Amino acid sequence: KLENATAKAELGRASWRLFHTMMARFPETPTADESLALKTYIQLFARLYPCGDCASHFQKLLKKYPPQTSGRNAAAGWACFVHNEVNKRLKKEQFDCNNIGDFYDCGCGEEGGAKKE
Ligand code: FAD
C-alpha cells in the first residue's frame, strides 16, 4: 500500500496533541507510582506508535534523551524538547518551549483538585 503523507501528518498532529496535553495535566508533584506510570506510557507509546519508521526513530531519541517524569514542568519541558528534535529531523520550525505553559488545554476545566484513586 502507498504511503499517505496526509494521514501520517494527521496522526502526528493528533498524537502530539495528546502527548503534550498529557504532560500539561501531569501532577506538579507526582507520586513515585505516577512518575513510573508516565515513564511506562512514554516507552509503550514509542514502541506501539502506528508509523513504524516514526516509532523506531522516536525510540532512539528516548535512549538519547530519557523521559523526565519527576513532575509537570520537567515532563512538559522534556516533551517539548523531543518534539523539537523530531521537528529538526523533519526540517520543521523549532517551537519555543517557554510558551508551552498555557498552550495545551485539555478542556476539562477545574476538576476539583488532584485525582487520586
Ligand atoms: P506537528 O509537528 O504535528 O505539531 C503540531 C503542533 O504542535 C504544531 O502546529 C505546534 O503548534 C505544536 N508544536 C510544534 N512543535 C512543538 C514542540 N516542540 N512542543 C510542543 N508543541 C509543539 N512524521 C514523519 O514524516 N516522519 C517521522 O519519522 C515522524 N516521526 C514522528 C514521531 C512521533 C513520536 C510523532 C508523534 C510524530 C511523528 N511524525 C513523523 C509526524 C510529525 O512529527 C508531524 O506530526 C507531522 O508531520 C505534522 O506536522 P505539523 O507541521 O502539522 O506539526
Side-chain angles (χ1 to χ4, degrees):
K1 199 160 183 252
L2 277 176
E3 177 173 317
N4 177 343
T6 307
K8 192 173 166 183
E10 195 53 48
L11 175 67
R13 278 189 288 275
S15 302
W16 286 124
R17 167 118 200 190
L18 172 62
F19 200 70
H20 293 299
T21 306
M22 199 169 276
M23 304 308 164
R25 293 289 291 181
F26 190 63
E28 283 172 26
T29 51
T31 63
D33 183 57
E34 286 168 331
S35 284
L36 178 62
L38 182 60
K39 196 169 279 183
T40 307
Y41 177 88
I42 294 166
Q43 294 295 350
L44 290 173
F45 170 84
R47 193 168 142 194
L48 298 171
Y49 192 74
C51 152
D53 285 341
C54 310
S56 65
H57 281 295
F58 198 61
Q59 285 171 54
K60 279 186 201 134
L61 263 182
L62 294 196
K63 279 212 177 113
K64 199 163 170 197
Y65 306 108
Q68 304 295 305
T69 62
S70 60
R72 180 184 299 170
N73 286 339
W78 172 84
C80 190
F81 174 82
V82 290
H83 188 169
N84 269 337
E85 288 295 302
V86 174
N87 288 343
K88 238 186 248 170
R89 196 165 56 77
L90 301 178
K91 302 197 161 54
K92 290 177 190 282
E93 263 181 44
Q94 291 295 105
F95 185 90
D96 181 358
C97 293
N98 294 310
N99 292 338
I100 198 92
D102 297 318
F103 198 80
Y104 289 96
D105 182 0
C106 69
C108 26
E110 293 306 320
E111 287 175 343
K115 261 201 210 129
K116 286 225 174 85
E117 295 297 323

